Amino acid sequence: MTIADGPHEPVLAPVAARYAWWLGLPAHRTAERDVPPEQVWAMPVVLRMEKTRPPSRTSLLEAAASAALAVCLDDEARPGGAWYEPLYTWTSGHIRKVARRARGAHWEAVQRLPGVTVDVAGAQARALVPCRVGDLPREVARLQISGSDLPADDPGPPPDDRPVLLLNPRVAMSAGKAAAQVGHATMLLAALLDTPDLTVWAMRDYRCAVRVADQDFWDEGVAAVSDPQRAWGEHGLVAVRDAGFTEVEPGTVTVLARWSRS
């Protein structure tokens, strides 16, 4: 993968530089812990959760994962596009996401904000262009973060034509927390892929499969990503490690993302 230097590099370039150090890319700044909370940048991810017809947990997570990446790779996210500056500012720090739930008129209201909505088997999620937490649009700020949980489901084996995002089987996460984590995972995968693979994925609308990992496979995978260059080169495997701001301990591996080499 070739990443352009300078202020007009792709918005995922800072993600690759920070998480894929073995590529020999220049490090990007990641300084937020001393920033006032209202000045922190985050991507709002809105999950549609209607009372009368709640979505399946797996489908909703898959929609959120695809939507988060679709915003980053939209035409408006290219240098010169309307979304480029806020996205690049965001990816140059921690790639924080905050998931909120919406239904009815509140869901319709967020459709007018800049972002991308993805539908997977009737489950819908909309990822919005990042902004400072203190500058959240009113349509988003009024939405609740808590209560965004859904019962576990059994989606069956993942399809062969898409990357698989494996959730930590030993860590309980709300649907909102898991949605943010799988959104991180698709961004990491995209930041590492070469142009042909990324083009193929784009043709499939960045669809992915979310599953809870088998415990034995999880242990093997976590051991493998201790050597991230080898894990990626040999197995197409990359880990999401959480910063520990909510729900889990800092450094917890929440997702193992696997790109099929076939």
Side-chain angles (χ1 to χ4, degrees):
M1 178 178 63
T2 300
I3 296 180
D5 294 325
H8 297 298
E9 59 191 1
V11 296
L12 291 181
V15 177
R18 189 161 62 253
Y19 293 96
W21 49 265
W22 66 84
L23 294 175
L25 301 169
H28 280 70
R29 61 182 174 84
T30 306
E32 278 192 357
R33 290 204 177 262
D34 296 328
V35 175
E38 69 277 4
Q39 295 298 317
V40 171
W41 282 72
M43 171 186 278
V45 179
V46 183
L47 310 175
R48 186 175 190 182
M49 300 180 70
E50 301 288 346
K51 273 188 175 181
T52 56
R53 50 184 190 282
S56 76
R57 181 182 174 99
T58 296
S59 295
L60 188 62
L61 295 182
E62 291 176 350
S66 297
L69 179 57
V71 170
C72 297
L73 297 178
D74 190 270
D75 287 345
E76 293 290 352
R78 296 177 180 176
W83 301 354
Y84 176 78
E85 292 295 339
L87 278 164
Y88 189 84
T89 298
W90 173 61
T91 58
S92 295
H94 290 291
I95 52 172
R96 280 201 188 177
K97 299 181 181 71
V98 178
R100 297 170 182 260
R101 58 186 176 90
R103 61 175 180 262
H106 288 179
W107 169 255
E108 296 303 324
V110 300
Q111 301 308 301
R112 296 189 288 271
L113 301 174
V116 176
T117 296
V118 171
D119 184 308
V120 174
Q124 294 180 303
R126 184 170 182 81
L128 303 175
V129 175
C131 65
R132 290 185 181 88
V133 172
D135 296 332
L136 280 173
R138 182 176 60 86
E139 295 91 339
V140 177
R142 69 187 178 185
L143 302 177
Q144 292 190 9
I145 299 175
S146 61
S148 61
D149 209 3
L150 293 164
D153 56 349
D154 184 8
D160 295 329
D161 64 345
R162 61 197 64 184
V164 181
L165 313 180
L166 297 167
L167 296 169
N168 188 329
R170 296 190 176 93
V171 173
M173 291 184 285
S174 66
K177 177 70 173 182
Q181 300 303 298
V182 295
H184 296 343
T186 52
M187 289 176 61
L188 290 177
L189 283 179
L192 295 175
L193 291 176
D194 57 23
T195 299
D197 281 340
L198 194 54
T199 299
V200 169
W201 198 9
M203 293 172 62
R204 296 170 180 166
D205 297 323
Y206 306 116
R207 294 305 166 94
C208 54
V210 175
R211 299 293 186 270
V212 177
D214 171 85
Q215 293 198 14
D216 289 339
F217 180 87
W218 180 263
D219 292 340
E220 294 172 4
V222 170
V225 295
S226 64
D227 183 345
Q229 183 175 15
R230 183 175 181 181
W232 177 251
E234 295 184 4
H235 308 293
L237 200 65
V238 65
V240 177
R241 296 182 185 273
D242 192 64
F245 293 109
T246 60
E247 296 193 23
V248 302
E249 292 297 316
T252 300
V253 178
T254 53
V255 182
L256 290 174
R258 185 178 64 199
W259 179 262
S260 174
R261 298 296 189 187
S262 61

